[in-house]
Amino acid sequence: MKSDFGERVKRAAASIPAGFKPETAVILGSGLSGIVEGLGYREIPFGEIAEFPKPTVQGHKGVLCLSGKNAIMAGRFHYYEGHPMDDVVLPIFALKALGVKNLILTNAAGAVNESYAPGDLVLIRDHLNLMGTNAFIGPNPADSDGKPFGPRFFDMSSVYDQGLRAVAASKAKRPLKEGVYAALTGPAYETPAEIRMVRAIGGDLVGMSTVPEATAARYLGMRVLGISCVTNMAAGISSAPLDHAEVVEVGKRVESELKALVMDLLSALA
Ligand code: HPA
């Protein structure tokens, strides 16, 4: 990370209206932002938060919603949009500065595992970082007093908290599968050969997000839950070409189920 990262985190956190002390934060993926509609949370557009870049992708709302012990980010910053990794993970540091202890990451993903189907919700058990980089390359980030936010070398042996997965499984209206999420940079979808590679090395799902944020959250000592919404079978599994409109459309279809699960999780963790 760049040496000004700690100052940027401080500015971001300071620009969020005072009086909110969230303990659990949710990040909503592509096409899943509708979850915040009608919740009555205080909505802060990303543009009003210092140091947050403007989101560019369609289907991402770009607001931080706050209420009581909960924070919900509708929209996130993707590496494929051209944001530096510092910007991709900055919101996680800002949420940590507000007091967040639990992070629920959601995403739209392609299914590599052929036992999954579009519309499935899958709990992430572990991940493969195939983005070719790591947000923590560079100086270990430190706060404005020079104190590092976390250790230089940090454990990644249990990123996705087993206890949170158990709570999610108990709240879900239908059995949830579990799998390994492989993150590639995008924005091109994968080739069939890349999907065969992901399968061969143990991936069940593919996507273009989540891994940087989960890595940052573990660095900061948060408990992490990852939920993938399967929007399509990955490239080469069916003969149909991949299409962003389909990803958004399937996301919309499962949004109410995911909303119920997320709201039940927020109640359970409050
Ligand atoms: N690949 C990568 N990212 C995705 C996909 C996919 O098939 N579906 C939704 N996000």
Side-chain angles (χ1 to χ4, degrees):
M1 276 153 181
K2 292 227 176 76
S3 52
D4 66 346
F5 188 77
E7 287 295 337
R8 294 186 61 205
V9 171
K10 194 174 173 183
R11 280 197 290 274
S15 72
I16 294 167
F20 293 100
K21 293 267 170 285
E23 291 184 3
T24 301
V26 183
I27 297 190
L28 300 173
S30 298
L32 305 171
S33 300
I35 285 180
V36 297
E37 305 290 344
L39 281 187
Y41 280 31
R42 168 84 176 268
E43 291 196 6
I44 301 139
F46 288 168
E48 292 178 12
I49 303 176
E51 303 297 336
F52 270 36
K54 308 263 177 305
T56 61
V57 83
Q58 282 179 358
H60 291 254
K61 198 171 147 87
V63 283
L64 173 66
C65 305
L66 294 164
S67 175
K69 291 186 177 173
N70 305 332
I72 305 181
M73 266 181 68
R76 55 151 56 92
F77 305 114
H78 297 89
Y79 190 55
Y80 66 73
E81 291 174 90
H83 299 304
M85 276 292 179
D86 281 22
D87 288 6
V88 175
V89 301
L90 184 112
I92 311 303
F93 281 76
L95 290 167
K96 171 76 180 182
L98 298 184
V100 167
K101 298 179 176 67
N102 308 305
L103 183 66
I104 301 173
L105 295 165
T106 70
N107 59 52
V112 177
N113 186 322
E114 294 189 41
S115 75
Y116 301 165
D120 280 353
L121 296 178
V122 181
L123 297 176
I124 302 178
R125 188 176 58 234
D126 201 351
H127 74 222
L128 291 161
N129 178 9
L130 303 178
M131 294 183 126
T133 187
N134 186 294
F136 289 84
I137 291 171
N140 189 22
D143 65 18
S144 41
D145 299 325
K147 185 171 167 284
F149 288 102
R152 171 80 291 195
F153 302 104
F154 51 104
D155 182 53
M156 292 288 282
S157 56
S158 50
V159 175
Y160 301 90
D161 189 86
Q162 201 148 14
L164 291 183
R165 269 186 277 149
V167 177
S170 74
K171 298 287 169 197
K173 303 281 183 292
R174 56 176 168 149
L176 299 178
K177 291 167 181 157
E178 285 202 2
V180 173
Y181 176 92
L184 289 84
T185 62
Y189 288 118
E190 301 71 32
T191 63
E194 286 163 347
I195 294 304
R196 289 194 297 276
M197 173 194 74
V198 169
R199 183 181 298 118
I201 62 176
D204 297 298
L205 301 149
V206 270
M208 306 174 189
S209 67
T210 303
V211 162
E213 294 122 308
T215 304
R218 286 308 297 147
Y219 168 86
L220 294 167
M222 294 179 181
R223 294 203 297 168
V224 180
L225 179 70
I227 308 172
S228 284
C229 162
V230 173
T231 52
N232 56 281
M233 300 312 287
I237 294 180
S238 83
S239 53
L242 300 191
D243 176 16
H244 179 67
E246 179 194 354
V247 168
V248 172
E249 199 273 317
V250 177
K252 289 270 163 286
R253 188 144 60 75
V254 288
E255 201 168 75
S256 62
E257 184 183 358
L258 185 64
K259 179 170 185 166
L261 178 58
V262 163
M263 298 321 286
D264 284 352
L265 278 164
L266 287 173
S267 311
L269 295 172

